[in-house]
């Protein structure tokens, strides 16, 4: 299985875990919720769905009432098929969610993994975020070294392109730092020390004064809401590989 198809299968299983969908709706969700799949077509999606069905992770069901299916057949149209996640498919997806190896840190796979962080255990989220940050810090170091070697031989436009690529990576590293600190803060709030007082029970007056579990955000797990973390996608992955990396010193 190629890395690209593996990411697509992961995303399909994750979306169908939320609710059954037919192919058109599924493709639309992949396009709008996961921008990394904007360029793929039905010719890519349907073979993936067939593979997942053959693996026992999805089942196909008629998506219309019997009379509508008959009308579609008489009109020469294909009746809609709804894809539903099986118990085995759910178990397989949860197994994939628990993985936090190097593949989860790569550009496309990280974006797909991040989109399903709401279904991922906190410790796994931390490993993925820290692994992604480490990978980008290594990339920054290589880009900086390459730029230092080739600066004198680059024209102004190529030099600006190099700088733009580095700034994009630096922005994502700062964003990851914020996410990691938020995860740590949330974990610490959920693990009080032995000498910590018992949590105070809310009184009826709390509801009238507008107090919440977290006065900063109201988020039940204690995580501050950061731009790009409340249901959205992470910052766009850095653009094409740094062209200067292939430049001979």
């Amino acid at each position: 299985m190629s890395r690209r198809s593996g990411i697509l299968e992961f995303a399909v299983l994750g979306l169908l875990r939320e609710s059954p969908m037919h192919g058109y709706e599924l493709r639309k969700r992949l396009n709008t919720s996961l921008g990394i799949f904007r360029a793929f077509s039905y010719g890519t999606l349907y073979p993936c769905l067939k593979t997942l069905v053959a693996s026992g992770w999805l089942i196909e069901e008629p998506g219309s009432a019997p009379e509508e299916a008959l009308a579609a057949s008489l009109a020469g149209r294909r009746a809609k098929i709804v894809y539903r996640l099986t118990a085995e498919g759910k178990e397989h997806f949860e197994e994939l969610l628990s993985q936090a190896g190097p593949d989860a840190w790569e550009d496309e796979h990280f974006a797909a993994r991040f989109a399903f962080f709401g279904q991922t255990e906190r410790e796994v989220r931390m490993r993925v975020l820290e692994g992604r940050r480490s990978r980008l810090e290594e990339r920054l170091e290589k880009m900086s070294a390459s730029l230092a070697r080739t600066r004198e031989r680059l024209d102004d436009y190529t030099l600006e392109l190099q700088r733009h690529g580095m700034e994009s990576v630096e922005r994502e590293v700062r964003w990851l730092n914020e996410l990691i600190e938020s995860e740590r803060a949330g974990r610490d709030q959920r693990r009080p020390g032995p000498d910590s007082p018992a949590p105070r029970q809310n009184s009826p007056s709390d509801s009238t004064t507008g107090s919440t579990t977290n006065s900063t955000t109201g988020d039940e797990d204690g995580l501050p809401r950061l731009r790009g973390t409340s249901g959205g996608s992470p910052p766009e992955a850095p653009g094409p590989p740094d062209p200067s990396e292939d430049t001979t010193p």
Side-chain angles (χ1 to χ4, degrees):
M1 181 192 304
S2 69
R3 177 175 294 176
R4 179 76 173 178
S5 63
I7 298 170
L8 179 58
E9 290 183 8
F10 172 84
V12 167
L13 292 172
L15 290 176
L16 291 177
R17 188 187 186 189
E18 299 173 4
S19 65
M21 301 181 203
H22 55 74
Y24 174 79
E25 183 182 7
L26 186 57
R27 181 173 183 265
K28 184 177 179 181
R29 287 288 306 279
L30 287 166
N31 285 338
T32 56
S33 301
L34 302 174
I36 61 174
F37 296 108
R38 289 193 185 107
F40 89 112
S41 65
Y42 285 112
T44 303
L45 176 60
Y46 281 109
C48 172
L49 291 171
K50 295 299 183 184
T51 298
L52 295 175
V53 170
S55 300
W57 296 330
L58 300 182
I59 57 173
E60 297 176 331
E61 299 177 338
S64 307
E67 57 273 16
E68 294 178 359
L70 178 60
S73 176
L74 293 175
R77 301 193 310 270
R78 183 178 179 180
K80 290 182 178 179
I81 298 295
V82 169
Y83 296 90
R84 181 186 299 274
L85 196 66
T86 63
E88 292 79 6
K90 181 179 179 181
E91 182 178 347
H92 178 63
F93 179 69
E94 291 173 351
E95 180 183 349
L96 294 176
L97 280 179
S98 69
Q99 298 175 3
D103 281 350
W105 311 339
E106 301 299 336
D107 293 343
E108 290 185 344
H109 207 159
F110 174 75
R113 287 299 303 268
F114 190 85
F116 296 101
F117 261 23
Q119 305 177 45
T120 306
E121 293 292 333
R122 183 186 299 273
E123 295 302 323
V124 177
R125 294 198 303 262
M126 282 292 292
R127 290 199 299 271
V128 173
L129 291 172
E130 290 174 342
R132 175 65 175 173
R133 180 176 63 180
S134 176
R135 179 60 50 85
L136 291 183
E137 287 173 343
E138 292 175 1
R139 186 179 299 176
L140 267 177
E141 185 177 350
K142 292 179 180 179
M143 294 172 73
S144 179
S146 176
L147 184 60
R149 291 196 311 268
T150 60
R151 182 187 299 271
E152 299 301 325
R153 290 180 285 153
L154 298 178
D155 61 56
D156 290 342
Y157 296 102
T158 305
L159 187 60
E160 283 304 311
L161 182 62
Q162 299 277 331
R163 289 172 176 165
H164 174 69
M166 291 184 64
E167 289 172 359
S168 298
V169 178
E170 288 169 348
R171 281 196 301 271
E172 186 172 350
V173 170
R174 291 194 296 269
W175 174 72
L176 289 167
N177 286 335
E178 293 178 355
L179 287 173
I180 290 169
E181 289 305 313
S182 297
E183 293 285 350
R184 288 175 177 163
R187 179 178 58 190
D188 292 342
Q189 289 179 14
R190 294 171 67 97
R191 295 182 181 179
D195 298 329
S196 301
R200 181 179 64 87
Q201 298 295 325
N202 290 340
S203 64
S205 61
D206 288 338
S207 60
T208 60
T209 58
S211 64
T212 60
T213 303
N214 183 338
S215 60
T216 302
T217 65
D219 201 359
E220 292 181 357
D221 63 1
L223 295 180
R225 291 194 181 280
L226 299 172
R227 179 167 54 85
T229 61
S230 50
S233 299
E236 292 185 4
D242 182 8
S244 67
E245 292 186 10
D246 296 329
T247 303
T248 302

